[in-house]
Amino acid sequence: MNTTPTPAPTPSLVPSVLFVCVHNAGRSQMAAAFLTHLGEDRVEVRSAGSAPASTVNPAVVEAMRESGIDISAETPKVLTTEAVQASDVVITMGCGDACPYFPGKRYLDWQLDDPAGQGVAAVRPIRDEIERRVRGLLAELGVEAAV
């Protein structure tokens, strides 16, 4: 008979980030994709929307493809209380007060233009600004960005 106790699960040492926008079809999808790509497996990444669209914005998919990141298989997800509770950092992008607040979480609000209804040319500067902010976030989290 084995009397060795089963060790308790260790808490994740990987920071967890949730990106939230209204439709989860543009800004939050780009941010999650950049963080997943640049943070590799050193950051847990989620994205959601307070009123999710049915598909990711095609101009956003194309703009990200130009950056070498394929998000064509992504689908907008609904914002849940559980997603917020499971995240260390919650970054909102135009969803206002729709995001639940929990003490002990770090909340950031990134003011960014909404790519909804825009063509690829208009999405590119938004994409580039999101990448810049994600790189800054990685530095703040102490995670070296992948090349």
Side-chain angles (χ1 to χ4, degrees), residues 17-20 29 37 57 85 93 102-103 106 113-114 119 124-125 129 131 136 143:
V17 178
L18 169 64
F19 294 101
V20 183
Q29 289 284 349
H37 179 74
N57 179 332
Q85 288 175 318
M93 305 174 184
F102 293 98
R106 179 176 175 205
D113 291 336
D114 188 346
R124 287 182 187 120
E129 177 60 16
E131 180 181 8
V143 175

Side-chain angles (χ1 to χ4, degrees), residues 105-121:
K105 305 289 176 196
R106 179 176 175 205
Y107 288 85
L108 300 171
D109 185 43
W110 289 359
Q111 296 293 318
L112 297 159
D113 291 336
D114 188 346
Q118 304 292 321
V120 176

Side-chain angles (χ1 to χ4, degrees), residues 25-36:
R27 295 166 290 187
S28 57
Q29 289 284 349
M30 288 189 283
F34 275 123
L35 189 56
T36 298

Side-chain angles (χ1 to χ4, degrees), residues 33-54:
F34 275 123
L35 189 56
T36 298
H37 179 74
L38 296 170
E40 295 177 325
D41 59 352
R42 296 164 293 170
V43 181
E44 185 178 343
V45 183
R46 296 178 182 85
S47 72
S50 53
S54 57

